[in-house]
Amino acid sequence: MFGDMMGMMNKIKETQAKVEETKKRLDTVTLEEKSSDDLLKITLTANREIKAIEVADELLQDKEQLEDYLVLTLNKAIKKATDVHEAELGAVAKEGMPSIPGMDAFK
């Protein structure tokens, strides 16, 4: 019993280390999102850190239109990055979970 508990604790520590490694790796994964007409492009990491924003000159003529483009495109970019982030961390967490009797019913 005590050995099983120690094994589970070690497995949890290993998983925590893998999660931290995955978070660091996600800093290097870049994603792009563009407006439907390619006038605005957002580049960000899978950890949702914005790296670049490219704006077409014609958007600079209309402040309200630029603001609308920024809101829409940033929201799509953040959603895309969040989906990648959650999928990667979820996979690591699921892989590292110790086998606990009776927990299979919740999968």
Side-chain angles (χ1 to χ4, degrees):
M1 168 88 179
F2 186 70
D4 291 342
M5 186 66 95
M6 290 299 291
M8 282 194 290
M9 294 302 290
N10 286 336
K11 185 84 167 166
I12 290 171
K13 285 181 182 180
E14 287 175 23
T15 301
Q16 287 173 333
K18 286 181 182 178
V19 165
E20 290 306 313
E21 289 172 20
T22 301
K23 285 181 182 179
K24 287 179 185 174
R25 184 179 56 77
L26 291 175
D27 279 333
T28 66
V29 175
T30 57
L31 306 164
E32 287 185 359
E33 186 63 50
K34 296 180 183 180
S35 61
S36 58
D37 54 9
D38 290 340
L39 295 179
L40 180 69
K41 182 173 97 174
I42 309 289
T43 305
L44 72 166
T45 70
N47 278 330
R48 299 171 297 255
E49 180 181 342
I50 296 171
K51 292 297 190 178
I53 299 175
E54 295 177 33
V55 181
D57 289 340
E58 64 191 82
L59 277 180
L60 297 176
Q61 308 307 315
D62 185 344
K63 179 181 183 274
E64 190 174 303
Q65 183 182 18
L66 175 58
E67 290 170 346
D68 290 343
Y69 270 64
L70 283 167
V71 168
L72 291 171
T73 309
L74 279 166
N75 282 333
K76 288 191 327 187
I78 291 167
K79 170 137 180 36
K80 183 186 283 186
T82 298
D83 290 346
V84 170
H85 186 269
E86 288 176 356
E88 291 289 323
L89 290 181
V92 169
K94 184 177 179 181
E95 171 189 310
M97 288 301 292
S99 179
I100 300 172
M103 293 298 286
D104 290 340
F106 296 106
K107 288 185 180 177

